[in-house]
Amino acid sequence: MVLGQLFSPQTQAIFFNWKEKPVQRMLDFDYVCGRETSSVAAIVQPGSSGGFQKLFFGKAEIAIPVYGSTTEATRKHPKADVFINYASFRSAYESSLEALKAATIRVVAVIAEGVPEKDTKHLIAFARANNKVIIGPATVGGVQAGAFKIGDTAGTLDNIIACKLHRPGSVGFVSKSGGMSNEMYNVLARATDGLYEGIAIGGDTFPGSTLSDHCLRYEQVAAIKMIVVLGELGGRDEYGLVEAIKAGAITKPVVAWVSGTCAKLFKSEVQFGHAGARSGGDLDSAQAKNAALRDAGALVPDSFEGLEELISSTYQRLVQSGQLVPAKDVAPPPIPQDLAAAVAAGKVRVPTHIVSTICDDRGEEPTYYGVSMSELIEGDYGIGDVISLLWFKRKLPKYASKFIEMCVMMCADHGPCVSGAHNAIVTSRAGKDLVSCLVSGLLTIGPRFGGAIDDAARLFKAACDAHQSPQDFVEGLKKKGIRVSGIGHRIKSKDNRDKRVELLQNYARKFFPSTRYLDYAVSVETYTLQKAPNLVLNVDGCIGALFLDLLAASGCFTEVEAAQIVEIGYLNALFVVARSIGLVGHALDQKRLQQPLYRHPWEDVLYTS
């Protein structure tokens, strides 16, 4: 490291409290400066279990490791000697002190505003006792042109290029204000060959390092030929610079201005933007500080408007005297524009990867097929209407949405002995999480359990539309070795009817415009009951037939749409939604009862060879 410098083109930092934009801006700066390696060695995210964050280094995508603690990060990356702290003011003290105690950390930048003054004083004392540097609190950071920058310093990449910060100039700059620093980098790019190093010490009353600290460093850096200082009213920091100039510790030309001269126009004390920018006694005033700097030998303009001209004339004298050789301009390598920015600017066309036609969450509130959440809650909508909007992309008549709700209610559960509930119970008793219990139950749904609605609908539709007699329909399937989906029950029979089927039939005959498919299914049941008393129309078959009637008679679907709905498998989805309610209930019931691990009894197993 060159004497007096904080940074170099090899400097690497540990970034505390992950923020994507400032880290990416650092990497973009690295790339345009021609660095071979990233300036961010690691990211510390408190509580993280590790991993990586993906970012871009020029055209290439790189992975920066993430650690859960500063201790681990400093141990894994001993060459990273700068700690960039983006913690909030509530935790900035603890995290900064931990970094200062790390043997490998040399510079700590504290970005947060509002750090308690007693905490800042403690950090300053510890840093001075251990020969370390603090930038901040309440700072944007600092930059060494062509080498290294902290976080958001100097703003966007366009501003960095315009300020010539991608290559070193000849000016050392220090200020309290991060915003004014960015403005001054532009001024220096116009009036000189640009910045060599710039630091914003922060606007709090007690900065971790002072204006004079950095000016004294600049005095030792051979590449810095002149120093520019932008102070502000409040505090006595500028007087340290006055004493250094008077003592001959700083011999390079110093162009300085202290902002806040307008405070004299106010009758009472004025608090400007920074905590430390407060008009108080005469010595704290901008006028007194400017006068003291001028008397000490600094070059001070009559107003801020004259600052750029004074910087330019000072620079030109150094050039004419041969003390300064202007830095050559270097064309920075182009950085590809991020896809999101290019799309927003209309520069590229990118095909989408997902198409959605049922909802939109981009506005002030989500919509289900054009119906806002407010309308759903405040209007006469139920869960059947939500299903109709999201599944069928239309609002169905009230009798139809009520039918859907009836199906959900009736199919929600059928006791603990059916396969789906049994699986969910066993999984819950194994100590698994709720989602695992639900999925284990859902995986049993198929042709033999709850998944016959679609098959029943397909079979009934084909036969009814072909005007096939129930006998021909049943016997034709029998010859093919196909079971009649929707017919048959393990418990219910001719003399022990399924109440659910009865309720659905009664509702449909009362409210549906037509029950043609249901009537056909009942005629099939009449034929199958002649064969065996348990070959009744079950709830799957009843729902399948009634959905066909809903699709055909509601006037909401074309024949093509109705056929597509049956083919895709919409109807089994209704059973899945309904039965999920019961499966969750069984899983929670077992957990609530604290049931032990289930083991099937030996006596219920036939062991044979």
Side-chain angles (χ1 to χ4, degrees):
M1 186 77 69
V2 175
L3 183 65
Q5 286 187 186
L6 291 182
F7 315 119
S8 76
Q10 288 75 45
T11 296
Q12 286 196 300
I14 293 172
F15 193 101
F16 187 90
N17 197 22
W18 160 247
K19 298 285 187 295
E20 181 179 4
K21 284 189 176 180
V23 175
Q24 186 59 66
R25 285 177 171 177
M26 289 179 67
L27 301 188
D28 288 344
F29 179 80
D30 297 342
Y31 184 74
V32 298
C33 291
R35 284 184 56 129
E36 295 181 358
T37 57
S38 160
S39 62
V40 181
I43 296 165
V44 175
Q45 190 64 31
S48 170
S49 57
F52 296 86
Q53 286 290 352
K54 294 196 303 179
L55 295 124
F56 284 102
F57 188 79
K59 297 178 182 179
E61 198 170 20
I62 63 172
I64 296 180
V66 176
Y67 302 98
S69 70
T70 299
T71 300
E72 185 181 10
T74 54
R75 179 172 57 83
K76 294 284 186 67
H77 302 274
K79 292 183 179 180
D81 58 1
V82 177
F83 187 80
I84 301 174
N85 192 349
Y86 266 76
S88 72
F89 70 91
R90 289 179 292 273
S91 58
Y93 168 71
E94 290 81 3
S95 49
S96 297
L97 184 60
E98 183 182 9
L100 287 169
K101 289 180 178 179
T104 55
I105 297 299
R106 189 174 45 84
V107 179
V108 172
V110 185
I111 308 300
E113 294 184 48
V115 178
E117 292 181 356
K118 65 179 181 61
D119 292 341
T120 301
K121 289 178 180 179
H122 187 197
L123 292 175
I124 294 170
F126 186 91
R128 289 178 178 171
N130 291 274
N131 196 31
K132 300 194 176 189
V133 176
I134 296 177
I135 301 173
T139 181
V140 71
V143 57
Q144 183 176 320
F148 178 85
K149 91 177 185 87
I150 295 171
D152 289 315
T153 301
T156 66
L157 192 61
D158 289 341
N159 189 63
I160 286 168
I161 301 302
C163 295
K164 304 176 184 178
L165 297 178
H166 59 287
R167 54 92 174 134
S170 304
V171 181
F173 173 78
V174 62
S175 170
K176 291 185 176 181
S177 168
M180 286 305 297
S181 292
N182 287 350
E183 175 60 30
M184 287 303 298
Y185 298 153
N186 269 292
V187 170
L188 295 176
R190 293 193 301 265
T192 71
D193 63 352
L195 183 78
Y196 185 85
E197 183 185 319
I199 299 291
I201 65 170
D204 279 0
T205 305
F206 298 99
S209 52
T210 65
L211 299 174
S212 58
D213 288 339
H214 295 286
C215 289
L216 288 167
R217 282 197 306 105
Y218 295 160
E219 178 70 19
Q220 301 175 61
V221 180
I224 293 178
K225 304 301 182 181
M226 61 181 288
I227 300 170
V228 176
V229 179
L230 185 63
E232 63 186 23
L233 82 166
R236 305 291 174 86
D237 195 10
E238 288 78 3
Y239 291 107
L241 177 58
V242 169
E243 295 305 317
I245 296 173
K246 284 182 176 180
I250 298 175
T251 60
K252 294 177 180 178
V254 176
V255 180
W257 175 255
V258 179
S259 297
T261 54
C262 64
K264 288 292 186 180
L265 300 175
F266 297 91
K267 294 181 179 179
S268 60
E269 181 175 293
V270 178
Q271 172 72 58
F272 288 83
H274 294 148
R278 182 174 57 246
S279 62
D282 288 340
L283 287 176
D284 296 342
S285 70
Q287 285 85 348
K289 293 181 180 183
N290 280 324
L293 285 165
R294 187 179 290 112
D295 291 343
L299 302 168
V300 181
D302 295 330
S303 67
F304 179 78
E305 287 72 17
L307 182 59
E308 181 172 347
E309 183 180 348
L310 184 56
I311 292 171
S312 178
S313 61
T314 303
Y315 170 78
Q316 291 300 331
R317 282 198 301 272
L318 291 172
V319 172
Q320 292 167 8
S321 66
Q323 298 177 61
L324 189 158
V325 177
K328 294 181 179 180
D329 284 333
V330 178
I335 286 190
Q337 192 173 23
D338 288 340
L339 181 60
V343 170
K347 294 182 177 180
V348 295
R349 295 182 298 186
V350 181
T352 55
H353 295 92
I354 294 176
V355 179
S356 176
T357 65
I358 63 172
C359 63
D360 194 336
D361 59 344
R362 296 170 297 176
E364 293 184 1
E365 57 180 323
T367 60
Y368 293 164
Y369 198 63
V371 179
S372 70
M373 199 60 59
S374 297
E375 185 178 349
L376 284 172
I377 299 303
E378 297 169 1
D380 186 23
Y381 286 81
I383 189 64
D385 297 304
V386 171
I387 290 175
S388 69
L389 290 170
L390 292 176
W391 290 12
F392 304 113
K393 295 172 58 175
R394 66 206 69 194
K395 188 177 187 301
L396 298 178
K398 205 62 189 174
Y399 75 83
S401 59
K402 174 64 176 175
F403 168 71
I404 292 174
E405 291 175 4
M406 288 176 63
C407 293
V408 171
M409 294 167 66
M410 291 180 178
C411 297
D413 190 50
H414 202 199
C417 298
V418 296
S419 59
H422 182 79
N423 267 22
I425 288 170
V426 172
T427 306
S428 180
R429 290 177 61 166
K432 299 289 284 185
D433 61 275
L434 182 61
V435 174
S436 298
C437 298
L438 172 61
V439 170
S440 69
L442 290 175
L443 287 174
T444 65
I445 295 176
R448 297 181 181 179
F449 169 62
I453 301 177
D454 281 312
D455 286 340
R458 292 186 189 107
L459 292 176
F460 288 149
K461 185 177 190 306
C464 184
D465 290 350
H467 304 291
Q468 195 173 20
S469 69
Q471 180 178 350
D472 290 343
F473 169 62
V474 173
E475 299 305 327
L477 291 177
K478 183 179 179 181
K479 289 179 180 178
K480 297 177 182 178
I482 301 174
R483 297 173 62 240
V484 183
S485 295
I487 296 291
H489 203 284
R490 294 178 64 87
I491 298 174
K492 299 300 179 181
S493 64
K494 179 180 180 180
D495 299 320
N496 179 27
R497 298 282 183 161
D498 190 334
K499 189 66 177 179
R500 298 176 299 173
V501 174
E502 182 181 330
L503 290 169
L504 287 170
Q505 287 192 44
N506 291 340
Y507 179 83
R509 296 192 190 284
K510 183 176 180 180
F511 294 105
F512 277 34
S514 169
T515 56
R516 183 167 71 94
Y517 290 104
L518 174 63
D519 295 340
Y520 184 80
V522 171
S523 68
V524 171
E525 177 193 50
T526 301
Y527 178 78
T528 56
L529 284 174
Q530 298 173 22
K531 294 175 173 290
N534 71 321
L535 294 180
V536 293
L537 180 66
N538 59 36
V539 71
D540 289 353
C542 185
I543 290 175
L546 286 176
F547 245 108
L548 292 175
D549 286 324
L550 187 154
L551 295 171
S554 65
C556 297
F557 303 92
T558 66
E559 288 187 14
V560 173
E561 288 175 330
Q564 185 183 48
I565 287 171
V566 174
E567 185 61 33
I568 288 177
Y570 275 61
L571 310 187
N572 279 352
L574 192 63
F575 184 84
V576 170
V577 168
R579 192 50 58 93
S580 293
I581 299 171
L583 297 178
V584 168
H586 284 294
L588 295 177
D589 188 43
Q590 297 302 305
K591 292 183 180 298
R592 183 170 52 248
L593 296 172
Q594 299 182 359
Q595 290 296 286
L597 178 68
Y598 176 83
R599 179 180 173 85
H600 202 71
W602 288 334
E603 57 268 24
D604 193 40
V605 178
L606 173 62
Y607 292 94
T608 184
S609 59

